[in-house]
Each structure stands twice: as structure tokens, then as C-alpha cells.
Amino acid sequence: MDGSRCRLSEEEAAHCAKVLRHREGDIISVIDGTGTLYRCRIISASPKCVEAEMISSEPDWGTHPYRLHLAVAPTKNADRYEWFAEKACEIGTDEISPIIGMHSERKIFKTARVEKILLSAAKQSLKGAVPAINEPMSVKDFILKYGSDNTGKPLRLIAYCFEDASHPRISIKEAFDKYDGHEAIVMIGPEGDFSPEEAELALSHGFIPVHLGTSRLRTETAAVTAAEAAYFRWME
Amino acid sequence: MDGSRCRLSEEEAAHCAKVLRHREGDIISVIDGTGTLYRCRIISASPKCVEAEMISSEPDWGTHPYRLHLAVAPTKNADRYEWFAEKACEIGTDEISPIIGMHSERKIFKTARVEKILLSAAKQSLKGAVPAINEPMSVKDFILKYGSDNTGKPLRLIAYCFEDASHPRISIKEAFDKYDGHEAIVMIGPEGDFSPEEAELALSHGFIPVHLGTSRLRTETAAVTAAEAAYFRWME
């Protein structure tokens, strides 16, 4: 985007001119990835380069009335994480952090593919902003980085499955209903759950322990359920 | 299941003896598919036949405090429907009906594969009951069969995207919150949405028009969102 003109990246140009077969004069919708959608008229179109002039712009296009950061442990099967990322984007999520726990079987994670999926999901679901995917980090580092001493006052939740008499969990629904702000961070553990040490560290850094109801959910389903909990909390 | 003895089907026997490598004397969990989980001790195990004696039984195992019937139009891509079926089972759903609408691009639907997915999802998520998958029917036939004159008093909802001044939609969250029963039927349309005629017919048969919030959701995401709305409505 440069003044009233925009040039699509080579990949987007190929999609626009080759796949969608757009030609000079066609009106297309372009997102800048940070929240604004532009209606543009194509000036020149080739599979290598598409140039268009801006007709109108819609700021905060397809946004949601809250900010949600989901910290989710990689799943054994990468497809399941990619599926979660697509759905989280459709429902409404701003930031995703892959977190590696003590009980994580999968300790490596490639963000590039998830980045692609988030972009196409944002385009498909008409969102001006594309959710950010962070580089993977350990559960411990995530807690130290996003714990209560380090960032504003978002609602901080950690969902785990084991019972802990000294720290009774409330439902994620109750936690959201009690919160009157507009920013939440939710941690979702690996198939093997968070370790008691990880849970303890999170609680000592301002995370509230929650459960996701009585159903036994896979990691990616738990993560989508967290996204839905926020979506319903602010649904009108 | 026959008295205190049970014999696994050939497919389950192969999974139990070959894949899980269970042997005589091992304790296994067996579901009858209608809500009961049995703890059983294996008497004899071969890849063709596994026999076990019941030690204990847990009725209503992994059930949820409501009954949910999701009527969802087939997606263009069958994988997406299968994904929805798996997630709906994990979250908590009792019955799924593929419904073919006037705007459905996909008019044929094979239930066999979805049946398999529901069974393995029920086993994976430790549910005693396996959701039922019905044979596909038209939206019109579904409304006539499940409309207000024909079945008890469940909450009947139809989710569509177009605005209709004469029938303002409320959010699915509000519809569930206002309902004090424990049984719901939710209709989710195809990519092309329900037709105004289909919506009109549904409304005249006791279905309440709802929206699923401001996000633009794919059919399978809308269906999972409906399952989550029920899950949160009855979450404690």
C-alpha cells in the first residue's frame, strides 16, 4: 500500500490473476493484515504483479470486541494444530503462541505453515487483521514473559485437567463472566497435560486455573473451546 | 454383551488384541454405545475374537446434561464434515442429521464414514454413548419431521446469515440462555445459506431464527459453534 495505490505480493498476484482470473478494471478487496480492508480497482494485472488503486477503506474490518492470545502446546499430529489455527482465526483470535511443556511429546514446531493458514483463513473469513503466530517457547518462559508482573492486566487463564485441592478450578465460562476487561490470555497444555510444577508457576504469576467442562477434549478441541468461550463472552 | 460376558466385534477384537496388544487377564473398558461403560477382564484374546467378563459397569458414562441434535448441511469438502462430526462428539452431541438445502452444492452424502469417525471419537473421548448419524434428508423434510407439531418441546433453532426485518434474529447464546429445558435442535445451512423459503418454513414450524455472532464462519465452524453454545449453556 503506497498512497492510493497498492501492489500485491507475487504470491497474491498469482492467486488474484491466475486463480481468481481478475483483470484490469475489476474491483477487489485487499486487507493490510493489521485491520483495514480496502476496496481497490485493478490498474494492471499479470500473474507476477497486480497493481490497483484504492477506492475506499474500512478500518477495523472483521474485528472482535476483545483481544485474545491463545498459548497452545503443539499436538502430536501437526494437522490438528493447523486446523485449530484456522478455526481460532475464523472465530476471533489475535495471537497464538506454541508452548512446549514438560509433558509435550512434540518439542519442535514450524510456524511457517501455520502463518500461511492464518493468512488464508483471515482472507476466507473476511478479517482485516491476520492473527500473529509466535515462535515456540517453553511453558516456563511463556509464564515468565506474560505473567502478572510483566504485562498490563489481561485475564490470565490456564486450563489443566488434574484436580488440585489447594487450587480449585472454576469453569472457563465463570472466569470470563467475572472479568470486565477486554483482553485475555489462555494457556492450553499438551496431550500429557501441564505438569504440577508448570501449573504452580502459572498460578504464582497471576494465572487463574480453569476447567473446560466435563467433556474430555483433545488439545486442539480444548483450544477452540477457549476461543469460543471468549467469543460467547462478548457476543451480543 | 450377554449377561456378565461380552464378545468384541471382529474389528474391535483386532484393535484390542493386535493394535493395543491386550492379553488374557488384562482389564479393558468397553462401551455399549448407548451410554454404559463396562470394566471387563479378558478371558480369551485373539485378533479375531476377544471375550471378557464384566467386573463393573458405569451407566451414563461421559454423558452431558442435555440432548443436542445438530442438523447440518454437507460441506463441499467431506473432510470438513467429518472434522465437525469428531468435534461435535468430543464436545457433546447426541444426533446429527445431514440436511440438503436448496442452495446446497453437495447433494449426496455418505453416512458410513461419519459413523466410523463418531465411534472412534466416542472411544477417544471416553463417552459411553455414540452420537447417531441419520440418513440425509432435505431441509424441507427435516422441518416437517422435527417441526413444532411433531416432536415434544425441544428448543428449535435455525441459524442463517441474511437479515430479515420481519423476523429479527437473536444470538444463539441468548436463545439458549432463555430456554429452561434440556433438549435442543439446531439447523446449520450450507455455504450458500438457507433460502428465504426454507427459513420461512422453519419459522412457521416453531424454529427460532438465530445468528452466531459477528464472525463469518464456515459451515463446519458454525456447527461446532452451535455445539459449544449448548456445552457452555449447561457448563457448571
Side-chain angles (χ1 to χ4, degrees):
Chain A
M1 192 65 56
D2 139 41
S4 68
R5 291 275 182 113
C6 76
R7 181 182 293 105
L8 301 185
S9 68
E10 202 165 311
E11 193 175 354
E12 293 300 329
H15 184 252
C16 177
K18 257 206 200 122
V19 183
L20 303 176
R21 296 170 174 286
H22 280 305
R23 296 286 171 262
E24 198 180 316
D26 288 359
I27 306 298
I28 58 173
S29 297
V30 178
I31 59 173
D32 64 3
T34 65
T36 304
L37 176 131
Y38 301 87
R39 306 282 179 195
C40 304
R41 180 181 293 105
I42 294 178
I43 300 164
S44 68
S46 84
K48 286 226 170 301
C49 172
V50 170
E51 286 199 310
E53 61 183 346
M54 194 205 308
I55 300 166
S56 65
S57 71
E58 307 259 14
D60 301 324
W61 181 262
T63 52
H64 39 272
Y66 54 92
R67 187 176 195 293
L68 178 63
H69 182 170
L70 293 173
V72 181
T75 49
K76 277 178 247 167
N77 171 340
D79 293 353
R80 293 183 173 276
Y81 206 92
E82 291 164 10
W83 164 77
F84 141 68
E86 178 185 295
K87 296 318 173 196
C89 176
E90 275 180 61
I91 296 159
T93 299
D94 303 276
E95 190 173 357
I96 295 173
S97 292
I99 50 172
I100 314 296
M102 292 167 69
H103 297 171
S104 285
E105 291 188 34
R106 186 189 178 88
K107 298 190 186 297
I108 45 164
F109 184 87
K110 303 219 178 313
T111 56
R113 222 184 112 72
V114 173
E115 223 164 10
K116 275 202 174 63
I117 283 164
L118 289 171
L119 175 60
S120 68
K123 286 160 63 185
Q124 157 79 27
S125 56
L126 295 183
K127 296 196 181 290
V130 181
I133 171 84
N134 298 326
E135 286 304 315
M137 68 179 88
S138 73
V139 166
K140 181 166 179 285
D141 291 345
F142 183 86
I143 293 167
L144 296 178
K145 180 168 183 184
Y146 294 96
S148 47
D149 302 342
N150 305 295
T151 58
K153 281 266 157 280
L155 175 67
R156 295 181 182 82
L157 305 177
I158 179 169
Y160 53 81
C161 303
F162 56 86
E163 276 303 338
D164 173 357
S166 55
H167 303 291
R169 299 168 300 160
I170 59 175
S171 78
I172 189 168
K173 177 190 178 186
E174 185 181 349
F176 270 113
D177 287 346
K178 284 178 171 173
Y179 175 65
D180 59 6
H182 292 83
E183 186 180 358
I185 303 173
V186 186
M187 296 179 69
I188 302 290
E191 276 84 351
D193 206 353
F194 288 112
S195 71
E197 297 73 18
E198 290 168 331
E200 194 54 56
L201 183 69
L203 270 49
S204 68
H205 284 72
F207 283 82
I208 300 165
V210 295
H211 65 75
L212 302 178
T214 53
S215 288
R216 185 169 182 263
L217 305 174
R218 286 173 176 271
T219 293
E220 75 277 10
T221 318
V224 165
T225 299
E228 298 270 15
Y231 187 56
F232 284 116
R233 162 65 179 79
W234 283 285
M235 182 180 285
E236 299 191 335
Chain B
M1 193 64 56
D2 141 41
S4 67
R5 292 275 181 111
C6 76
R7 182 182 293 106
L8 301 186
S9 69
E10 200 164 311
E11 193 175 353
E12 294 301 329
H15 184 252
C16 177
K18 257 204 196 126
V19 183
L20 303 175
R21 296 168 174 286
H22 280 304
R23 296 287 171 263
E24 195 180 317
D26 288 359
I27 306 297
I28 58 174
S29 297
V30 179
I31 59 172
D32 63 4
T34 65
T36 305
L37 176 132
Y38 301 87
R39 306 283 179 194
C40 303
R41 181 181 292 104
I42 295 177
I43 301 165
S44 68
S46 84
K48 284 224 172 303
C49 172
V50 169
E51 284 198 311
E53 60 184 345
M54 194 206 308
I55 300 165
S56 65
S57 71
E58 308 258 13
D60 301 324
W61 181 262
T63 52
H64 38 273
Y66 53 92
R67 186 175 197 293
L68 178 63
H69 181 171
L70 293 173
V72 181
T75 49
K76 276 178 246 166
N77 171 341
D79 293 354
R80 293 183 172 276
Y81 205 92
E82 291 164 9
W83 163 77
F84 141 68
E86 177 186 294
K87 296 318 174 195
C89 176
E90 277 181 60
I91 295 159
T93 299
D94 303 277
E95 190 173 357
I96 294 173
S97 292
I99 50 173
I100 314 297
M102 293 168 69
H103 297 171
S104 285
E105 291 189 35
R106 185 189 179 88
K107 298 188 185 296
I108 45 164
F109 184 87
K110 302 221 180 312
T111 57
R113 222 185 113 72
V114 173
E115 223 164 11
K116 275 202 173 62
I117 283 164
L118 289 171
L119 175 60
S120 67
K123 286 160 61 185
Q124 157 79 26
S125 55
L126 295 183
K127 297 196 180 290
V130 181
I133 172 83
N134 298 327
E135 286 304 315
M137 67 178 90
S138 73
V139 166
K140 181 165 180 284
D141 291 345
F142 183 86
I143 293 167
L144 296 178
K145 180 169 182 185
Y146 294 97
S148 48
D149 302 342
N150 304 296
T151 59
K153 280 268 156 278
L155 175 67
R156 294 183 182 82
L157 306 177
I158 179 168
Y160 53 81
C161 304
F162 57 86
E163 277 302 339
D164 173 358
S166 55
H167 302 292
R169 299 167 301 160
I170 59 175
S171 78
I172 189 169
K173 175 190 179 187
E174 184 181 350
F176 270 113
D177 286 346
K178 284 179 173 174
Y179 175 66
D180 59 5
H182 291 82
E183 186 181 358
I185 303 174
V186 185
M187 295 179 71
I188 302 290
E191 277 84 352
D193 205 353
F194 288 112
S195 71
E197 296 73 19
E198 290 169 331
E200 195 53 57
L201 184 69
L203 270 50
S204 69
H205 284 72
F207 283 82
I208 300 165
V210 296
H211 66 75
L212 302 177
T214 53
S215 288
R216 184 167 182 262
L217 306 174
R218 286 174 176 271
T219 293
E220 76 277 11
T221 318
V224 165
T225 298
E228 298 272 14
Y231 186 57
F232 284 116
R233 162 64 179 79
W234 283 286
M235 182 180 284
E236 299 189 335

